[in-house]
Amino acid sequence: MLKQLTLLSLLCCFLSVQSQDQPEFCEQLQAIKALVKKEHFKPKPIDDSLSVGVYKLFLAQLDDKKRFFIQKDIDVFEKDRLQLDDYIANNDCAFIDEYSEILVKRIENAKQIIHGFSKSKFDYSGKDTLRFAPDAAYTYLDDNTETINYWSKRIRYNILFELIEQDSIIENLSANFKKEEKEIKPKIIQKELCKLEELQNKNGGLSQFVKEAFLNAYVAFHDPNSTFFNATDKTTYVNSLSNDQLSFGIITNKNDKGNIVIAHITPGSPAFINGDFETNDIIKSLQANDIILETYCVSNDDIVAFINDENNTTITFKIKKQNGTLKDIELTKTKTKIEDNTVTGYLLKDKANIGYISINNFYSDFESPNGLGVANDVAKELYKLQKENIDALILDLRFNGGGSMKEAADLSGMFINRGPLSILKYGNGDTFTIKDTNRGSLFMKPIVILINNFSASASEFFAAAMQDYNRAIVVGSTSHGKASAQVILPLDEDSQLGFSKLTVEKFYRITGQSHQSVGVIPDIQLPNLYDNFKTEERFSSFALDNDSIEPTLKYIKLKALPLKALETKNRIRVGSNLAFDAVKSLNTLIIDNYFELKTEYPLTLQNVYKNMNAYHSQWELFSDSINNNTSTLVVSNTSSTIEVLSYNNEQKEVNEAFLKTIQNDIYISEAHYILLDLLNLNITD
């Protein structure tokens, strides 16, 4: 009875706080409604269609795995499916409380269920059945009995999974099962409880999480690249696209024990200069502006958000050292170079001297309209590579999610001699052609551009322009298919209500065609681990349509590239390459075991072991074929980089790892062979 009264008191307190906070949510909702209508590329009317779409997205954000809400809750929520548009139009925000209240109860209920397992004995006899199905097949649990059964199976499976990971010999597992299960059970239970408490301890609390989830759903209904940002989200996003930022120079991670640890310290940063921080130090708490964030059962995302909060310029870190001592260390942010947002040129030597540059991000200096970013950095590295007399160049845009369109345009201009690069179309129908106005180019020798499913936006802008001019051979797999541009806008004049990243324009190729929801299709396609993962934009709800417009300016193509001859040689090489065969097999293995898995079997140690062992055996077989790929490439640094490295022993170690990674990368190796073929064809022409 006491527990019930305590929970009731907490709920009452929670709802009281909600009622006080609701006016701000109403202001945010009305502000974001007005902003979308005014600024979005294609705002949608507030009607029943919007209501249905936002309802679907909202529930998915609150309970994406359908493990909290039960069918009774969905029946309660169902009244809103066709009413959300009316609530929004009438500025009626009371509906949001019900979702928060029920989510709080369901998470608390899950915690009580899991707590209860501590005192009960689990059944591994096979009486219960494990069922696996694709995500789309999941339905909400019928009632609390199903909820108890779900968590029981989940924790039992996780216990067996962990035991098998620790000892891969079934005879040992069977012989020691009772003892090992007894030891690991409380750890697994605590880990599950901690995950739930992470949700409860989210920055701003569950009530704020629910409200921001609705704002996100409202904006995402207009297109999947538009989103709501609170102040911390906005700072984190802008920093990710910046070449340098105010930073402590600490990258955190959550280890297997649930501790927040220091994973990396950026050289030259405040943490590096301080000298008291070391990798693997445990962060116990963070304190800034009279706010203390304890790190127990808090997600790493919330730690990152606290550290990146632009108001928290000085933070006191409570650190537990490896010897067990505790230290309070105060740090103040300074401008720090972002290591991931830098480019370095490398040399690939094998029958030709080929340059290689990987571009992770189209970063820029957003504090200045003329700020220097990735295009300037690539130009510097290209200058170093040309001093080494390179014959060709590989630009690697795999996993590059985009960034600044200005940087993409500047980079494109480095490789062509004037002309249009892309056509922008605004919401009112007006168009504008982005042009390279500078005569000449920095590099006129052959280029291969590597892309994959995760190359998006500014990456696609650049790859498409180079492809349309016949300036480069695009190699890899079809890109993400995002041909839209976003800006971050405040919801109010003093930015107190937050921000929204909104899609305000679409961009088209200079041919007038769009790669929106289609992607840039490579000239030469290579097998990809991520094929058919359905991560591309066309699989996102409410993605913008593909269309085309009339081109505005003529452009002069360069001489056609001998793509058929190159593709023939490539096909022969790939067909006899065991590593690419392994990529295709690994891709099938992942799809069959994760995305399209549909199987069931009795919950026993032997059955879970059999299932896991079959998967792991195949994984090791295929991944070994990829990792053991031998290459004749000799990868080295430019003379300029070698000189810089001579003063930095730590960077030397990092550099050695990069050289090895490049040498063993089958995609870089194949890009290199394609360029060798092209150079040979050009010589014989």
Side-chain angles (χ1 to χ4, degrees):
M1 183 67 180
L2 181 60
K3 286 184 179 178
Q4 290 177 331
L5 288 172
T6 303
L7 179 59
L8 184 61
S9 300
L10 285 171
L11 286 173
C12 290
C13 177
F14 170 80
L15 292 174
S16 172
V17 172
Q18 276 191 313
S19 300
Q20 295 168 16
D21 289 346
Q22 205 182 84
E24 181 179 69
F25 172 64
C26 281
E27 288 182 54
Q28 289 176 309
L29 187 52
Q30 292 306 307
I32 212 164
K33 179 183 77 170
L35 191 66
V36 167
K37 183 178 179 180
K38 179 183 178 184
E39 302 290 350
H40 194 274
F41 176 78
K42 195 175 181 179
K44 297 175 182 177
I46 300 174
D47 55 17
D48 283 351
S49 176
L50 176 140
S51 186
V52 171
V54 171
Y55 176 81
K56 175 186 173 184
L57 292 170
F58 180 43
L59 285 185
Q61 290 204 35
L62 294 184
D63 187 9
D64 62 331
K65 299 298 183 185
K66 298 180 180 176
R67 56 186 173 145
F68 297 129
F69 295 136
I70 58 176
Q71 190 56 49
K72 183 175 72 173
D73 303 329
I74 304 304
D75 293 340
V76 171
F77 298 151
E78 192 66 18
K79 67 181 184 302
D80 295 335
R81 180 185 287 274
L82 295 174
Q83 292 298 313
L84 292 177
D85 57 319
D86 298 318
Y87 300 153
I88 294 166
N90 298 325
N91 199 21
D92 177 3
C93 303
F95 72 93
I96 202 73
D97 289 346
E98 193 167 44
Y99 293 88
S100 298
E101 177 188 352
I102 292 177
L103 183 60
V104 166
K105 287 197 297 187
R106 293 301 170 220
I107 292 176
E108 192 59 41
N109 180 58
K111 285 176 61 180
Q112 289 181 8
I113 289 169
I114 295 169
H115 267 301
F117 294 146
S118 300
K119 300 174 184 177
S120 61
K121 186 177 180 181
F122 278 144
D123 182 355
Y124 299 96
S125 67
K127 177 182 175 183
D128 292 320
T129 300
L130 285 172
R131 291 182 175 86
F132 299 89
D135 286 349
Y138 281 111
T139 58
Y140 289 101
L141 301 166
D142 282 342
D143 49 34
N144 199 50
T145 300
E146 275 202 7
T147 302
I148 294 170
N149 196 32
Y150 165 80
W151 287 107
S152 172
K153 287 183 181 181
R154 178 188 175 101
I155 291 175
R156 279 182 283 169
Y157 177 78
N158 287 343
I159 288 170
L160 295 177
F161 187 96
E162 191 71 24
L163 289 174
I164 294 166
E165 287 281 291
Q166 291 179 10
D167 190 338
S168 60
I169 300 173
I170 188 64
E171 291 78 13
N172 294 346
L173 288 167
S174 299
N176 302 314
F177 181 72
K178 285 187 178 180
K179 176 177 175 291
E180 299 291 342
E181 192 269 353
K182 186 177 180 181
E183 288 181 3
I184 204 166
K185 179 183 174 183
K187 296 177 184 176
I188 297 297
I189 286 176
Q190 185 54 44
K191 188 178 285 189
E192 288 294 336
L193 287 171
C194 203
K195 289 176 184 176
L196 297 179
E197 287 176 18
E198 282 182 14
L199 283 172
Q200 293 178 315
N201 297 338
K202 283 190 75 67
N203 193 21
L206 263 179
S207 171
Q208 190 64 26
F209 165 71
V210 171
K211 290 168 183 172
E212 292 187 4
F214 187 83
L215 297 174
N216 262 315
Y218 180 83
V219 182
F221 172 72
H222 293 81
D223 81 283
N225 297 299
S226 293
T227 187
F228 167 79
F229 278 157
N230 58 40
T232 304
D233 293 335
K234 180 247 186 184
T235 302
T236 302
Y237 178 78
V238 171
N239 285 346
S240 73
L241 299 177
S242 175
N243 195 25
D244 53 55
Q245 67 181 57
L246 282 173
S247 169
F248 298 110
I250 289 174
I251 297 175
T252 60
N253 200 0
K254 192 162 197 172
N255 66 16
D256 292 338
K257 295 180 180 179
N259 295 320
I260 299 295
V261 298
I262 296 175
H264 178 70
I265 300 168
T266 305
S269 67
F272 182 87
I273 294 168
N274 178 274
D276 283 337
F277 291 91
E278 296 176 287
T279 55
N280 295 318
D281 282 350
I282 297 172
I283 300 176
K284 302 297 288 183
S285 70
L286 303 168
Q287 182 174 356
N289 301 318
D290 297 324
I291 298 172
I292 299 176
L293 177 63
E294 302 287 345
T295 61
Y296 177 72
C297 286
V298 172
S299 72
N300 189 54
D301 287 343
D302 285 327
I303 298 297
V304 172
F306 190 90
I307 289 173
N308 283 342
D309 190 322
E310 60 187 12
N311 296 313
N312 297 342
T313 56
T314 298
I315 290 180
T316 299
F317 293 76
K318 183 179 284 293
I319 300 295
K320 183 178 181 182
K321 306 295 291 182
Q322 297 300 297
N323 62 7
T325 59
L326 293 172
K327 279 191 175 185
D328 287 339
I329 309 169
E330 184 178 279
L331 279 187
T332 300
K333 293 176 181 175
T334 62
K335 280 272 187 179
T336 304
K337 190 85 169 176
I338 307 304
E339 292 178 329
D340 286 344
N341 288 355
T342 54
V343 295
T344 303
Y346 298 90
L347 295 166
L348 314 180
K349 297 181 179 179
D350 177 22
K351 300 178 184 176
N353 199 15
I354 293 175
Y356 170 81
I357 298 175
S358 176
I359 303 172
N360 297 324
N361 199 324
F362 280 86
Y363 56 81
S364 187
D365 180 356
F366 288 96
E367 294 180 2
S368 167
N370 299 312
L372 301 178
V374 70
N376 183 66
D377 289 350
V378 169
K380 291 177 182 176
E381 292 303 306
L382 191 54
Y383 172 74
K384 297 174 188 176
L385 288 169
Q386 291 193 92
K387 286 175 69 176
E388 308 282 351
N389 298 314
I390 58 172
D391 303 303
L393 178 67
I394 298 169
L395 293 173
D396 194 341
L397 301 183
R398 291 174 297 167
F399 302 101
N400 184 322
S404 165
M405 290 296 175
K406 174 187 175 296
E407 293 296 332
D410 289 348
L411 188 66
S412 301
M414 287 165 49
F415 301 107
I416 66 164
N417 181 21
R418 297 183 66 177
L421 298 171
S422 181
I423 306 165
L424 296 183
K425 182 180 179 182
Y426 306 106
N428 63 5
D430 291 346
T431 61
F432 173 77
T433 301
I434 299 174
K435 300 182 287 289
D436 170 37
T437 57
N438 298 318
R439 286 191 177 276
S441 59
L442 295 185
F443 186 77
M444 282 303 295
K445 293 177 180 178
I447 299 174
V448 158
I449 298 172
L450 279 172
I451 62 171
N452 68 2
N453 317 60
F454 299 96
S455 304
S457 194
S459 295
E460 296 174 289
F461 176 113
F462 174 70
M466 297 298 96
Q467 191 177 52
D468 289 336
Y469 273 99
N470 291 332
R471 180 61 193 91
I473 305 164
V474 180
V475 175
S477 53
T478 302
S479 64
H480 184 71
K482 177 182 178 290
S484 60
Q486 290 73 38
V487 295
I488 299 175
L489 300 168
L491 298 188
D492 59 326
E493 286 186 10
D494 57 4
S495 304
Q496 292 301 302
L497 298 178
F499 305 82
S500 183
K501 176 166 70 78
L502 281 185
T503 295
V504 294
E505 59 200 24
K506 288 177 73 175
F507 61 91
Y508 297 77
R509 301 173 74 136
I510 49 178
T511 61
Q513 300 300 308
S514 170
H515 60 259
Q516 170 62 34
S517 293
V518 173
V520 176
I521 300 170
D523 300 307
I524 297 176
Q525 299 210 30
L526 299 177
N528 192 328
L529 184 64
Y530 308 98
D531 287 338
N532 302 311
F533 277 23
K534 297 184 179 179
T535 56
E536 295 84 357
E537 177 133 339
R538 69 180 179 275
F539 296 108
S540 299
S541 299
F542 309 111
L544 296 175
D545 295 332
N546 178 269
D547 60 355
S548 60
I549 59 176
E550 285 295 319
T552 52
L553 292 176
K554 291 183 178 180
Y555 68 101
I556 302 171
K557 285 186 177 183
L558 298 173
K559 178 183 174 183
L561 293 159
L563 296 178
K564 285 187 178 179
L566 294 172
E567 190 176 12
T568 299
K569 291 176 179 291
N570 159 262
R571 197 178 296 122
I572 293 169
R573 265 193 311 272
V574 171
S576 61
N577 189 316
L578 295 178
F580 278 117
D581 284 343
V583 167
K584 289 186 279 188
S585 298
L586 205 51
N587 170 260
T588 302
L589 181 69
I590 295 170
I591 289 172
D592 289 346
N593 284 272
Y594 283 95
F595 297 104
E596 296 177 6
L597 179 64
K598 190 173 184 180
T599 187
E600 58 182 70
Y601 51 80
L603 201 170
T604 66
L605 171 64
Q606 288 72 20
N607 285 333
V608 174
Y609 176 85
K610 181 180 176 182
N611 182 261
M612 282 181 61
N613 192 53
Y615 176 76
H616 284 167
S617 298
Q618 291 181 74
W619 177 278
E620 288 177 13
L621 178 66
F622 299 141
S623 59
D624 284 348
S625 295
I626 298 170
N627 296 332
N628 294 334
N629 174 63
T630 55
S631 172
T632 57
L633 284 180
V634 177
V635 185
S636 61
N637 299 108
T638 62
S639 301
S640 300
T641 301
I642 290 171
E643 184 178 352
V644 172
L645 289 171
S646 66
Y647 303 108
N648 191 326
N649 288 328
E650 184 176 339
Q651 276 304 112
K652 276 184 185 177
E653 293 181 18
V654 175
N655 178 68
E656 287 300 319
F658 271 121
L659 295 178
K660 188 173 182 181
T661 299
I662 293 168
Q663 182 180 27
N664 294 333
D665 190 308
I666 57 176
Y667 296 93
I668 297 172
S669 182
E670 182 55 29
H672 166 263
Y673 282 125
I674 290 168
L675 283 172
L676 287 183
D677 290 340
L678 181 59
L679 290 170
N680 289 332
L681 286 169
N682 286 342
I683 289 170
T684 56
D685 278 354

